[in-house]
Structures are given as structure tokens and as C-alpha cells.
Amino acid sequence: MTGEKQQGRQETAAPAIELKGISKAFGPVQANRDISLSVAKGTIHGIVGENGAGKSTLMSILYGFYKADAGEIYINGQRTPIPDSQAAIAAGIGMVFQHFKLVENFTVLENVVLGAEDGALLRPSLAKARKTLVQLAHEYELEVDPDAVIEELSVGHQQRVEILKALYRSADILILDEPTGVLTPSEADHLFRILKNLRAQGKTIILITHKLREIMEATDTVSVMRQGQMTATMKTRDTSPQKLAELMVGRKVLLRVDKKPAKPGKPVLRVENLRLTDSAGVERLKGISFEVRAGEILGIAGVAGNGQSELLDVLGGISPAEGRITLHDRPLPLAGRHANGQARRSDGIAHVPEDRQRLGLIMDFMAWENMCFGYHNDPKYNKGPLMMDNPAILDDTAEKMQRFDIRPPNPRLRAESFSGGNQQKLVLAREIERNPEVLLVGQPTRGVDIGAIEFIHQQIVALRDAGKAILLVSVELEEILSLTDRVAVMFDGRIMGERITSETDEKELGLMMAGVSGEAA
Amino acid sequence: MDITDIFLQLMLTADMTIRLSAVLTLACLAGLFSERAGIFDIGLEGKMLFSAFLSATVAYESGNVWLGVLAGIAGSMVFSLIHGLASITFRGNQLISGVALNFLASGLTVVVGNAWYHQGGRTPTLSGAARFHEITLPFADLLRDVPFLGPIYADVISGHKPIVYIAFAAVPLTWWILYRTRFGLRLRAVGENPESVDTAGISVVRLRFTAVMIAGVLCGIAGAYLSTSQAAGFGREMSAGRGYIALAALIFAKWRPFYALGATLLFGLLGAISNLYPNINVFGLFDIPVQFTQALPYILTVVILAGFVGKAVPPRAGGEPYVKER
């Protein structure tokens, strides 16, 4: 916690940011507990920690979104109270949020100017911003068309607009919250180049991420947060991903998934020429074909929004589509009243949806009620034709909660009162314990902490080893590479190519994710 | 009918259209300010009605129509304040708050009016300085003899009550505020994505309150027009659904000022047709009943609200109270 002294080359300069004894509670939850941190000027500082460790809260305090209950903030050695975002901006702090705060139907220029106008009339402000943007673009590789409308820009460009917004307000300290979650690998590389340019110009950068590889690659120093506390701060070159992971979770964890080579059997699920046009008339799936064999995990990689969600919805019986899918050579309906989630489940296709809070669970229902959805007509859960057998569902839920180590193990708690990881375990327990022929899983570890990720991966591998077919959709390349046996990459509603996971790498997949066809990559 | 006759009828219709549109234009712009900031305002109707009542009462008691207008604006702004408190400060449901205000206005005006004047909810007839009178634009009489353009200037454009000119001047002014000023940029932003405004260090609450209060001022003027210009005194339910028609026009106008002018003129035209030509004879075959022409504006409202006229994308954060996420 004495980053000041560790930075040998900057002994005299005051740290850009110094936090002393920051605490913040939300009701009974202590989100930040006596946090102290010092970041030297002109460095990139990483902050890692599990979901709910308090990283975002801490940064929100620094940006004036929340007021700390106790503690002091020093900027460049000056004590600086930050009661609101205006004060943070005035202190030279800029923030790039995980979910961009852009007005989607405004132009880049209007977004940059918003809140930083020079006078009551717009025209002079816009003219000045246009000039500054050209300059910034030149200086930091931040090229964006100033007159482009935000919603027509790619995610990577939208993120550049966020960075430009901060720089236009002459930020010297830039906070980035999970900036690479939505980027392709090459976009992420570009982002890190920008960050290094900024550092070279003397800017200070705080990078919040859960991807340890990025920490190792981009940062000078790193801090670890756990349960609201800052547990360690060190130089990046003195540590390793393994060590950081241990510090985050508080025990040894397996970063790699421990699995035996797959023994694929015959094809179970076959998908042929699947097409889907959404209500706005946009073709989301443009002829998707693949097969999943028994005893293997097929991964679908790709940047979010390239048709993966639609594919899962079609296979899970949620959206109608054209084409053909067969399960053990038996065709399944793709539209009409026989294509629904319950019918798919009774056919043996279980579905763990991407958005567990919207499609996987009903958040204000209790765990035991959630546990029977999709299987609610199972005679085991019913007494006669009208009545549900609630005690039976309760018992069943309690048993599953035990086996999946869901905490707290109380079936009568509402789904919303479980953590992200435990919510995901609830859905997984419901679907996996049915022993389905095919398991569809979307983003199984999104918003799930490292400890639970390990468990969830083990369960998926165990199902594979039991000879079942698994289709895994994930935007996390790391997850695809470590968990799957075969991988198909989706781009713009098409499959760009298929690879055996052990015979490919991030670079090749990254090219396909950016739209280069599999033969060329 | 010869050509002069047709010209005369057209002029008459245009004149009436302008008269009837003014209220709708003001109310529609009021809705525009509010909804562009992300606050649905179904209470335009109630604000107009309350303002109509107050301005008629104060104009009658003081004998000064301008005092009446000020009172109407003040009353309408009180309603806006309530709407703002309910939907911005306390993050309540904007539709329910608006509907409640409409009921309040409809009941309050009649009860109080009856208690004060014992005329079944009506206020006494206004005359003299307690009412607005037509103003003649400069050179109107001089230019009347210029062929074609002269009569249009003298009889259609000139000779309306002051609020009519205020209403039509408000359209370019609104456009200018919305697209050429800092306030306008922020207003449009807060209706699309309040988070972007908040993170830029601007107060969402203050911005939205300002917008809602502007809506109050415009509704106040609109209400005053009803009871001191269009009529000579307040009558129960005299707003007659114009607040809802203005909302339909706003959707039709895709929340844009000049489109709003066009949409409200169209509604005004339908109103003028039903006033001037109650019985339209179709090729001597049958008469279109007067009830049908009178219902036209309302029918158009239903058609617009049902989404039959193209896809209108409302401000994205419309109707959603802003809560800082954790």
C-alpha cells in the first residue's frame, strides 16, 4: 500500500491519487472497508477482485457517484473532497463505464460536448470540440468520425468516444471499468495501445478488470480487492496470474479446467441451414449448420451480438426460425405451438439461458418455485391434475441446493437474494440434474466469481464425461479455449469456421471473430 | 360556385384552422418539452383546464385579461410542480400522476366555480379589457386591395388574438432552444439517456424539473386562450380533450417542433371543417352526418395512437424515473 515509495523513478512527485481509509456501506452491506490506495502519476494501475468485492463502488466514490461514509481523497497531493461527478471532472478524473453512458441518437460531437459546453449557445462549443477531436485522434490513435451517430458505431468506437469525452474534459486520471468485455481481441489490443500512449503523455490510468491476463499485460502495479477490502498491492512484474487469483478468492484455485480428452460419440444434435429474421426485418441467422456429438463440448465463440443469443433462443424453443434441427435423427419443430421451452426440455434439450435474471429465473419468486419451471408438469411435482405438490418440490430443491453447494441453502429465499454465482448454480442445478441429452449453455460464468466458475466448469465437464452433448456459447475466449473440445466462431449471423480447440489459438479465433473467414484465418 | 367563392371559402377555412390550432400547438409544444426530457405528461388536459378556469376568474375579478393569463400560467405551473414532485422527486408513475391531475382539474374547477358564481360551474361572461381582442397587423388595411396576397394577409394572417401569435412564435423558438442551445442539448440528452447527463456532472432532477415547468407555462397560456380568447369565460370541461389530441399530435410529429406545428394545423383543419361545413353532401347522393365531421379529430387521434402512421420512436428514457444504479 505504499506505492509511492515503490515507484523509484518518481520519489519526489506526489501520487496522482491517494485514498485514505475509505469506507462505504449500503444498508447492512459493507461494500468498502477502510481502503487505502496510492497510484503514482504516469502509471497504469490494475484493480482486480471478484464480483461484489467492492471495485466498482470504490471507483464510483472516486468519481463522485457515491459519497464515502469515511475517508479522504487526495489528488496530486491535495486533499480533494468529491461530492459529485462535477467535482471529479474538475479534479481531472475521467471515467469510462462498463456500460457506456452515451446518448445513442446523438453524434459523437454532441456526446463529447454534453456537459462541457463553453456557453449557452452550441455552435461555438461544437466547433471547438471538432478541432480538439482531430488533435486528440492524432495524438492517441483515437480516430472517430465526429459526425457519426453513436448507434451506428461499433462497440470499440463507442468506447473511444467515452475516452475522448474524458480527455476533452482534460482528464489526467482515467478510470476504465471492465473495458474489454465487449471488444474483439484486436479491438482490445488497440485499446491497450491507446492506454500506453496516454501513459506516455503522463496520464494516470486505473484499469478494473477480472481478466488476469490483461493485468499482466498492461499494468505497472496491481491491487487486489476481496470482500470490500484492499488485500494487497504490488508491482505487476513481481506477481503471477495464479497468485492474483489466490489473493482474489482467498484460497488456491484452478485457473485451467482440469479435464480429460473428449471421447466424442455419434452426433446427437444436428442443425442445418438455420435462418432467423427478427421483428425489425434484420436477418440475425444466415444459414447456420453444425452438429454436436455425444460426449463433447462445442463452443460458439464470437463478439456479443453476432447471432449467438438468437441461436440459443431458437434451439431452446424460444424463437421460431426456418431450417432444420434433429435430435438423434428425429426432427424437432422450429415454429408453431410445439416449439417451446417445455417441449424442448421433455425432448431432452435443457437450456441455461444467457440472461439468467430475465430468462432463467423469476427474480421475486423463491428458489423452490424457480426450481420447477420448465418441468412443472412432471408428475413428480404434481398431485393429481390440478394441484402442485409443493412439499415434493421443496424437498427436491433442498437436495439440489446441497449437491450444487448453493448458499445460503434455503429453498424459501427469493432468487434475487442470491449472489450472481449462486443464481447461476440454481439454474444449472435445475437443468443438469435432469440428465438431459443436450445441454445448451449461454455465458455460464458471466457475473460469476472465480470460485463459482471453477465449480460450474467442473459440472459441465462432468456432464460431458457422462456422454452428453453440450453447446456452450461464450464471449469469453479464455472460457472457450479452456472448456470446449471443438469451437465454431460466429460473425454477423454466420459461422466463419470450425476448429479443434486444442489445435487453435486466440489469434486465429480472434481473426474469425472479426469477420475473416475460416479458410483465410 | 365561381372562383372567388372558392377562394373565400378557403380563406375562411384557413382563418378558422389557425384559430383552432393555436391551443393545440401550445399544448403540443408543452408536451414536447416535457417528453423530450423523459417525463410523460398526460396531464396537459388538466393543466389547460385549470389555467382556463383561473384566468377567466382572475380576468373577471380584476378586469385585466393579462392578469388573468398570469394567474392561469401560475396555476398550471403548480400542477406541473405536483407532477414533477410525484414523477421526478418521488419516482412515481408518470401516467398515474397525470391522470390524477386531470381528475383534480375537472372536479376542482366545477366545484369552486359553482361555489363562487352559482352558474353551474361557469364563470361570468368576460367583456372589455377582461377579454382578448383581435389585433390588426400593420398595413393590413392598406394591403387588403393587393390582389390575392392582400386578403390573405389582412384576413387570414392578421386579425387574430395575441395568444395565436404567441403560439406560432413558440414553434421556431422551441426549435432554436432544442437544437441550438446548451439547454436544448442537455434536455434532449436527459430524455434519451439520463445516465449520460448524470455522469457529465449535470443534475438530472433540475433539468427535468425545468422542462416540466416550461410545459406548465405553455399549458397555462393555452388554457388562458380557451377562456379569454376563444370563449368569453370558463365553461365546465371546456378543454374537451384537446390535451389528449395534442399528445396524439406530438406522436404524429415524432417529437419535433415544426412537425408539431404541421400536426396541430391538421387537427385544426379537421376542427374547422366540422365547424364550417357540418353537412357535407357527397355528389348529391347522401349527406355525411355532422356527428361524423365532429368526430374526425378524435378518430384521427385514435388512428395515430394505434400506430397506423409510421413508426414513431419516443425518447428512450421516456416514462422511466431515473434511479442511480448501484
Side-chain angles (χ1 to χ4, degrees):
Chain A
M1 315 222 172
T2 49
E4 207 175 345
K5 289 199 184 103
Q6 290 179 358
Q7 289 299 320
R9 59 197 167 94
Q10 304 214 358
E11 292 123 323
T12 47
I17 305 167
E18 200 171 10
L19 305 177
K20 287 186 181 167
I22 299 278
S23 291
K24 173 75 183 172
F26 293 105
V29 182
Q30 190 76 34
N32 282 166
R33 200 189 304 263
D34 191 26
I35 287 182
S36 295
L37 170 72
S38 169
V39 180
K41 207 173 282 183
T43 62
I44 301 180
H45 184 90
I47 296 185
V48 290
E50 296 193 297
N51 290 291
K55 297 168 296 186
S56 295
T57 305
L58 185 65
M59 292 305 119
S60 295
I61 288 171
L62 193 50
Y63 193 65
F65 242 44
Y66 303 131
K67 243 173 128 164
D69 301 335
E72 293 170 350
I73 300 170
Y74 290 79
I75 305 292
N76 296 324
Q78 293 279 316
R79 179 150 182 234
T80 316
I82 302 184
D84 52 31
S85 301
Q86 194 102 57
I89 294 166
I93 299 172
M95 178 123 178
V96 176
F97 290 89
Q98 186 175 5
H99 302 288
F100 304 147
K101 314 286 183 193
L102 297 170
V103 184
E104 298 226 315
N105 56 1
F106 276 21
T107 63
V108 171
L109 212 51
E110 286 173 318
N111 268 290
V112 167
V113 160
L114 180 68
E117 309 90 343
D118 292 310
L121 296 185
L122 277 185
R123 216 182 275 263
S125 309
L126 291 174
K128 183 183 142 197
R130 186 183 296 275
K131 237 189 258 165
T132 315
L133 284 197
V134 172
Q135 212 177 322
L136 288 172
H138 202 69
E139 226 169 314
Y140 300 112
E141 286 189 64
L142 276 164
E143 291 87 5
V144 193
D145 173 12
D147 296 311
V149 177
I150 296 297
E151 54 200 350
E152 285 158 12
L153 291 177
S154 71
V155 185
H157 278 78
Q158 291 186 12
Q159 190 174 56
R160 285 186 208 170
V161 178
E162 283 283 16
I163 298 175
L164 284 168
K165 258 168 74 179
L167 294 179
Y168 185 72
R169 288 157 174 76
S170 41
D172 285 320
I173 298 162
L174 203 59
I175 305 167
L176 295 106
D177 190 3
E178 299 283 359
T180 59
V182 288
L183 303 182
T184 63
S186 76
E187 280 173 329
D189 286 344
H190 189 119
L191 172 69
F192 289 127
R193 268 208 311 283
I194 293 169
L195 294 186
K196 282 170 185 166
N197 284 341
L198 288 167
R199 176 177 61 184
Q201 299 288 323
K203 309 265 181 202
T204 309
I205 291 154
I206 295 186
L207 179 68
I208 301 171
T209 177
H210 66 274
K211 294 182 183 167
L212 298 174
R213 198 176 55 82
E214 290 171 2
I215 291 285
M216 300 310 295
E217 216 169 78
T219 66
D220 301 309
T221 50
V222 55
S223 296
V224 182
M225 286 189 75
R226 176 152 56 94
Q227 289 167 4
Q229 281 173 301
M230 193 70 86
T231 50
T233 297
M234 65 209 97
K235 283 190 181 175
T236 308
R237 70 176 116 89
D238 296 341
T239 186
S240 66
Q242 188 63 41
K243 201 171 152 204
L244 286 174
E246 274 176 47
L247 284 165
M248 278 163 70
V249 187
R251 62 179 167 85
K252 273 199 181 306
V253 281
L254 277 173
L255 284 183
R256 234 171 5 84
V257 183
D258 205 14
K259 63 181 174 97
K260 295 191 278 286
K263 291 178 206 124
K266 56 181 184 13
V268 178
L269 180 72
R270 190 175 277 143
V271 174
E272 287 158 77
N273 199 23
L274 212 56
R275 287 177 181 279
L276 170 72
T277 305
D278 71 8
S279 56
V282 180
E283 211 179 3
R284 295 290 177 182
L285 298 177
K286 302 174 178 172
I288 298 278
S289 305
F290 60 82
E291 55 186 37
V292 195
R293 283 179 286 233
E296 76 160 357
I297 303 176
L298 173 68
I300 303 281
V303 180
N306 277 296
Q308 305 98 308
S309 310
E310 288 80 1
L311 175 64
L312 273 181
D313 284 352
V314 169
L315 297 180
I318 300 170
S319 308
E322 291 159 44
R324 189 179 147 86
I325 50 177
T326 51
L327 180 69
H328 288 305
D329 295 327
R330 194 167 65 83
L332 295 178
L334 271 171
R337 64 192 183 88
H338 293 295
N340 62 58
Q342 202 189 340
R344 286 285 199 276
R345 283 180 170 85
S346 52
D347 282 332
I349 300 183
H351 182 191
V352 178
E354 288 184 311
D355 189 344
R356 72 183 82 93
Q357 302 195 338
R358 206 168 57 81
L359 293 176
L361 297 165
I362 298 180
M363 298 305 282
D364 26 308
F365 276 31
M366 289 182 272
W368 68 274
E369 292 169 313
N370 272 297
M371 202 50 96
C372 68
F373 290 141
Y375 306 101
H376 45 274
N377 287 337
D378 185 334
K380 188 170 92 175
Y381 289 155
N382 286 273
K383 271 195 300 212
L386 286 177
M387 305 268 286
M388 299 294 289
D389 187 353
N390 291 352
I393 307 174
L394 264 166
D395 287 348
D396 192 52
T397 305
E399 205 186 301
K400 284 176 179 161
M401 289 178 97
Q402 185 124 42
R403 265 206 299 276
F404 273 72
D405 189 29
I406 297 168
R407 288 178 213 182
N410 178 0
R412 292 184 191 275
L413 273 185
R414 288 162 187 266
E416 64 189 355
S417 37
F418 291 93
S419 72
N422 282 303
Q423 287 174 5
Q424 184 68 313
K425 284 192 200 169
L426 276 172
V427 182
L428 271 171
R430 178 177 74 206
E431 304 298 341
I432 289 185
E433 289 284 285
R434 287 279 159 168
N435 211 10
E437 284 303 303
V438 177
L439 180 69
L440 312 170
V441 208
Q443 319 297 347
T445 54
R446 178 186 282 170
V448 170
D449 43 54
I450 289 198
I453 289 177
E454 192 186 356
F455 181 85
I456 289 169
H457 284 173
Q458 282 165 0
Q459 294 303 317
I460 293 175
V461 172
L463 192 69
R464 178 202 76 169
D465 291 343
K468 309 298 181 183
I470 292 162
L471 181 77
L472 174 108
V473 171
S474 178
V475 292
E476 303 275 354
L477 257 189
E478 246 170 285
E479 182 166 50
I480 292 276
L481 285 169
S482 63
L483 195 58
T484 65
D485 303 307
R486 218 151 44 86
V487 53
V489 180
M490 271 185 85
F491 174 79
D492 193 27
R494 287 193 184 85
I495 288 193
M496 302 309 290
E498 271 186 37
R499 292 287 184 275
I500 304 290
T501 307
S502 55
E503 294 166 9
T504 185
D505 57 20
E506 198 156 311
K507 203 170 147 232
E508 188 182 30
L509 294 180
L511 277 175
M512 289 197 270
M513 281 163 72
V516 179
S517 83
E519 290 91 67
Chain B
M1 260 201 304
D2 60 19
I3 194 89
T4 3
D5 236 17
I6 292 179
F7 182 61
L8 224 93
Q9 293 296 331
L10 280 178
M11 290 229 310
L12 208 61
T13 314
D15 184 58
M16 178 81 92
T17 301
I18 288 174
R19 252 170 245 278
L20 295 179
S21 302
V23 177
L24 295 175
T25 308
L26 283 167
C28 190
L29 292 177
L32 191 144
F33 272 103
S34 186
E35 300 210 347
R36 270 297 178 112
I39 305 292
F40 284 155
D41 197 353
I42 209 165
L44 297 175
E45 177 84 3
K47 279 189 269 220
M48 279 200 286
L49 193 61
F50 192 50
S51 158
F53 173 73
L54 275 185
S55 41
T57 313
V58 172
Y60 173 72
E61 297 294 344
S62 70
N64 183 335
V65 67
W66 289 103
L67 280 182
V69 173
L70 286 182
I73 292 175
S76 170
M77 286 177 79
V78 169
F79 268 41
S80 281
L81 192 67
I82 299 173
H83 187 51
L85 277 177
S87 54
I88 305 170
T89 312
F90 297 113
R91 303 185 190 120
N93 186 304
Q94 299 169 6
L95 294 182
I96 291 176
S97 160
V99 169
L101 287 174
N102 287 345
F103 277 123
L104 182 65
S106 143
L108 198 66
T109 50
V110 173
V111 169
V112 175
N114 204 20
W116 285 352
Y117 300 111
H118 311 289
Q119 297 184 6
R122 301 181 60 85
T123 63
T125 309
L126 303 172
S127 58
R131 227 197 134 193
F132 277 118
H133 297 280
E134 285 86 1
I135 46 178
T136 309
L137 293 183
F139 314 117
D141 291 321
L142 219 78
L143 293 171
R144 192 182 298 275
D145 295 332
V146 177
F148 191 64
L149 289 177
I152 289 185
Y153 178 71
D155 294 330
V156 177
I157 297 181
S158 171
H160 289 286
K161 313 230 164 124
I163 290 180
V164 172
Y165 299 107
I166 295 177
F168 290 113
V171 175
L173 185 67
T174 302
W175 177 87
W176 184 80
I177 290 175
L178 223 51
Y179 295 103
R180 286 292 180 266
T181 68
R182 170 176 62 190
F183 172 70
L185 181 77
R186 292 175 174 189
L187 184 89
R188 284 183 288 135
V190 83
E192 288 290 331
N193 185 356
E195 286 189 322
S196 69
V197 171
D198 197 10
T199 51
I202 309 164
S203 164
V204 172
V205 170
R206 196 189 307 162
L207 204 47
R208 286 190 160 172
F209 258 106
T210 314
V212 169
M213 295 316 277
I214 292 176
V217 172
L218 290 168
C219 275
I221 302 176
Y225 179 79
L226 286 177
S227 62
T228 63
S229 299
Q230 200 155 307
F234 176 83
R236 61 188 302 164
E237 303 292 349
M238 77 182 311
S239 48
R242 287 188 181 83
Y244 300 109
I245 293 181
L247 279 182
L250 183 61
I251 294 170
F252 195 28
K254 300 188 159 71
W255 291 267
R256 290 178 194 168
F258 281 105
Y259 287 32
L261 177 63
T264 50
L265 281 173
L266 175 63
F267 276 106
L269 176 67
L270 292 179
I273 289 173
S274 77
N275 275 357
L276 292 172
Y277 314 103
N279 292 300
I280 299 174
N281 188 284
V282 184
F283 307 122
L285 291 174
F286 60 92
D287 282 337
I288 294 176
V290 59
Q291 288 84 355
F292 180 77
T293 44
Q294 278 172 353
L296 267 180
Y298 303 94
I299 294 173
L300 183 64
T301 305
V302 170
V303 169
I304 289 172
L305 292 182
F308 287 121
V309 279
K311 202 167 174 270
V313 182
R316 249 163 265 191
E320 299 277 329
Y322 177 60
V323 186
K324 261 187 198 190
E325 65 176 292
R326 263 192 59 179

